[in-house]
Amino acid sequence: QVQLVESGGGLVQAGGSLTLSCAASGRTFSRYIMGWFRQSPGKEREFVAALTWISSGMYYADSVKGRFTISRDYEKNTLSLQMSGLKPEDTAVYYCAAGATTLPSVVSEYNYWGQGTQVTVSS
């Protein structure tokens, strides 16, 4: 019902910036929270940031607060994640997700996921 496609991943040096995008289709998103999660080898998928599509309430993991900014574009049905001050520990596959949930940081609460985009931060 919802299709999510991430883009914008790549290789960046520590301290650098990168912006990820998630193109969404299939829903109006009026009832959805949309978020970004990431997963590194050997680790569980973890919450990065999320927003409520309509009200634009925003949530951030402590590890990225002040460095990452989540935003939305109604015209393009796009979710973005602006990342700055990147650290090697930010290296992961980043996933866009959507769900009709009020628990934005909980992986299991999301119903739809993109395929992921790789972000690699070199030291």
Side-chain angles (χ1 to χ4, degrees):
Q1 299 181 53
V2 175
Q3 188 171 31
L4 306 172
V5 181
E6 304 96 332
S7 62
L11 175 65
V12 64
Q13 294 182 354
S17 300
L18 200 63
T19 298
L20 306 182
S21 295
C22 172
S25 62
R27 293 286 183 91
T28 64
F29 301 103
S30 61
R31 65 204 297 258
Y32 278 87
I33 287 177
M34 297 191 68
W36 290 95
F37 291 78
R38 65 188 183 187
Q39 188 166 22
S40 300
K43 297 182 179 180
E44 295 184 348
R45 192 166 298 185
E46 65 177 356
F47 171 74
V48 176
L51 59 72
T52 54
W53 189 251
I54 297 300
S55 68
S56 194
M58 299 179 184
Y59 311 86
Y60 294 95
D62 289 341
S63 61
V64 306
K65 191 173 297 182
R67 299 190 297 121
F68 292 10
T69 302
I70 191 169
S71 62
R72 61 183 177 177
D73 187 327
Y74 285 124
E75 295 292 332
K76 299 180 180 180
N77 280 343
T78 299
L79 183 74
S80 296
L81 184 70
Q82 294 176 284
M83 305 183 293
S84 62
L86 285 163
K87 307 173 182 179
E89 51 262 45
D90 293 319
T91 295
V93 176
Y94 283 70
Y95 297 90
C96 178
T101 180
T102 57
L103 302 173
S105 66
V106 180
V107 171
S108 62
E109 292 296 308
Y110 288 78
N111 303 115
Y112 304 99
W113 296 85
Q115 82 289 346
T117 185
Q118 177 71 47
V119 172
T120 302
V121 183
S122 62
S123 60

